[in-house]
mmCIF file of all heavy atoms in Angstrom:
data_model
loop_
_atom_site.group_PDB
_atom_site.id
_atom_site.type_symbol
_atom_site.label_atom_id
_atom_site.label_comp_id
_atom_site.label_asym_id
_atom_site.label_seq_id
_atom_site.Cartn_x
_atom_site.Cartn_y
_atom_site.Cartn_z
ATOM 1 N N LYS A 480 -71.420 35.569 -39.312
ATOM 2 C CA LYS A 480 -72.105 34.580 -38.474
ATOM 3 C C LYS A 480 -73.088 33.800 -39.342
ATOM 4 O O LYS A 480 -73.744 34.382 -40.213
ATOM 5 C CB LYS A 480 -72.846 35.275 -37.331
ATOM 6 C CG LYS A 480 -71.932 36.116 -36.461
ATOM 7 C CD LYS A 480 -72.299 35.987 -35.010
ATOM 8 C CE LYS A 480 -71.419 36.722 -34.034
ATOM 9 N NZ LYS A 480 -70.140 37.236 -34.446
ATOM 10 N N THR A 481 -73.187 32.496 -39.071
ATOM 11 C CA THR A 481 -73.993 31.651 -39.962
ATOM 12 C C THR A 481 -75.088 30.893 -39.219
ATOM 13 O O THR A 481 -75.057 30.753 -38.007
ATOM 14 C CB THR A 481 -73.107 30.607 -40.665
ATOM 15 O OG1 THR A 481 -72.501 29.798 -39.662
ATOM 16 C CG2 THR A 481 -72.045 31.243 -41.522
ATOM 17 N N THR A 482 -76.008 30.385 -40.002
ATOM 18 C CA THR A 482 -77.059 29.502 -39.482
ATOM 19 C C THR A 482 -77.252 28.374 -40.500
ATOM 20 O O THR A 482 -76.600 28.377 -41.547
ATOM 21 C CB THR A 482 -78.363 30.304 -39.263
ATOM 22 O OG1 THR A 482 -79.348 29.421 -38.708
ATOM 23 C CG2 THR A 482 -78.930 30.861 -40.567
ATOM 24 N N ASN A 483 -78.160 27.424 -40.171
ATOM 25 C CA ASN A 483 -78.503 26.367 -41.109
ATOM 26 C C ASN A 483 -77.249 25.617 -41.574
ATOM 27 O O ASN A 483 -76.972 25.528 -42.775
ATOM 28 C CB ASN A 483 -79.269 27.005 -42.287
ATOM 29 C CG ASN A 483 -79.870 25.972 -43.205
ATOM 30 O OD1 ASN A 483 -79.940 24.788 -42.861
ATOM 31 N ND2 ASN A 483 -80.288 26.400 -44.382
ATOM 32 N N ALA A 484 -76.510 25.053 -40.607
ATOM 33 C CA ALA A 484 -75.270 24.312 -40.889
ATOM 34 C C ALA A 484 -74.336 25.112 -41.790
ATOM 35 O O ALA A 484 -73.797 24.593 -42.760
ATOM 36 C CB ALA A 484 -75.568 22.940 -41.459
ATOM 37 N N GLU A 485 -74.165 26.367 -41.441
ATOM 38 C CA GLU A 485 -73.227 27.297 -42.101
ATOM 39 C C GLU A 485 -73.613 27.676 -43.530
ATOM 40 O O GLU A 485 -72.815 28.271 -44.246
ATOM 41 C CB GLU A 485 -71.797 26.734 -42.103
ATOM 42 C CG GLU A 485 -71.303 26.354 -40.725
ATOM 43 C CD GLU A 485 -69.890 25.805 -40.704
ATOM 44 O OE1 GLU A 485 -69.490 25.162 -41.683
ATOM 45 O OE2 GLU A 485 -69.206 26.003 -39.710
ATOM 46 N N ARG A 486 -74.835 27.339 -43.937
ATOM 47 C CA ARG A 486 -75.193 27.589 -45.335
ATOM 48 C C ARG A 486 -75.743 28.981 -45.591
ATOM 49 O O ARG A 486 -75.891 29.397 -46.727
ATOM 50 C CB ARG A 486 -76.172 26.507 -45.826
ATOM 51 C CG ARG A 486 -75.464 25.164 -46.002
ATOM 52 C CD ARG A 486 -76.412 24.035 -46.268
ATOM 53 N NE ARG A 486 -77.228 23.708 -45.099
ATOM 54 C CZ ARG A 486 -77.974 22.622 -44.985
ATOM 55 N NH1 ARG A 486 -78.024 21.757 -45.976
ATOM 56 N NH2 ARG A 486 -78.674 22.393 -43.899
ATOM 57 N N GLN A 487 -76.098 29.685 -44.492
ATOM 58 C CA GLN A 487 -76.612 31.044 -44.663
ATOM 59 C C GLN A 487 -76.017 31.982 -43.625
ATOM 60 O O GLN A 487 -75.772 31.568 -42.488
ATOM 61 C CB GLN A 487 -78.129 31.046 -44.521
ATOM 62 C CG GLN A 487 -78.824 30.540 -45.769
ATOM 63 C CD GLN A 487 -80.263 30.208 -45.480
ATOM 64 O OE1 GLN A 487 -80.572 29.568 -44.470
ATOM 65 N NE2 GLN A 487 -81.143 30.659 -46.342
ATOM 66 N N LEU A 488 -75.849 33.240 -44.037
ATOM 67 C CA LEU A 488 -75.308 34.235 -43.106
ATOM 68 C C LEU A 488 -76.439 34.935 -42.362
ATOM 69 O O LEU A 488 -77.465 35.269 -42.959
ATOM 70 C CB LEU A 488 -74.538 35.302 -43.882
ATOM 71 C CG LEU A 488 -73.169 34.922 -44.439
ATOM 72 C CD1 LEU A 488 -72.665 36.042 -45.339
ATOM 73 C CD2 LEU A 488 -72.179 34.663 -43.310
ATOM 74 N N THR A 489 -76.233 35.169 -41.061
ATOM 75 C CA THR A 489 -77.175 36.013 -40.320
ATOM 76 C C THR A 489 -76.551 37.386 -40.106
ATOM 77 O O THR A 489 -77.219 38.344 -39.765
ATOM 78 C CB THR A 489 -77.495 35.388 -38.945
ATOM 79 O OG1 THR A 489 -76.255 35.110 -38.290
ATOM 80 C CG2 THR A 489 -78.287 34.117 -39.080
ATOM 81 N N SER A 490 -75.237 37.460 -40.265
ATOM 82 C CA SER A 490 -74.502 38.723 -40.118
ATOM 83 C C SER A 490 -73.298 38.669 -41.055
ATOM 84 O O SER A 490 -72.752 37.589 -41.252
ATOM 85 C CB SER A 490 -74.060 38.862 -38.658
ATOM 86 O OG SER A 490 -72.909 39.665 -38.555
ATOM 87 N N PRO A 491 -72.877 39.792 -41.664
ATOM 88 C CA PRO A 491 -73.408 41.151 -41.565
ATOM 89 C C PRO A 491 -74.819 41.261 -42.168
ATOM 90 O O PRO A 491 -75.125 40.542 -43.136
ATOM 91 C CB PRO A 491 -72.434 41.973 -42.414
ATOM 92 C CG PRO A 491 -71.289 41.084 -42.742
ATOM 93 C CD PRO A 491 -71.704 39.685 -42.541
ATOM 94 N N PRO A 492 -75.630 42.151 -41.598
ATOM 95 C CA PRO A 492 -77.016 42.261 -42.066
ATOM 96 C C PRO A 492 -77.103 42.588 -43.552
ATOM 97 O O PRO A 492 -76.317 43.389 -44.053
ATOM 98 C CB PRO A 492 -77.591 43.402 -41.218
ATOM 99 C CG PRO A 492 -76.526 43.859 -40.307
ATOM 100 C CD PRO A 492 -75.297 43.088 -40.525
ATOM 101 N N GLY A 493 -78.035 41.944 -44.240
ATOM 102 C CA GLY A 493 -78.281 42.266 -45.647
ATOM 103 C C GLY A 493 -77.403 41.512 -46.641
ATOM 104 O O GLY A 493 -77.735 41.416 -47.823
#
Side-chain angles (χ1 to χ4, degrees):
K480 302 220 177 346
T481 60
T482 182
N483 189 13
E485 306 180 328
R486 288 171 291 192
Q487 282 165 315
L488 286 172
T489 52
S490 154

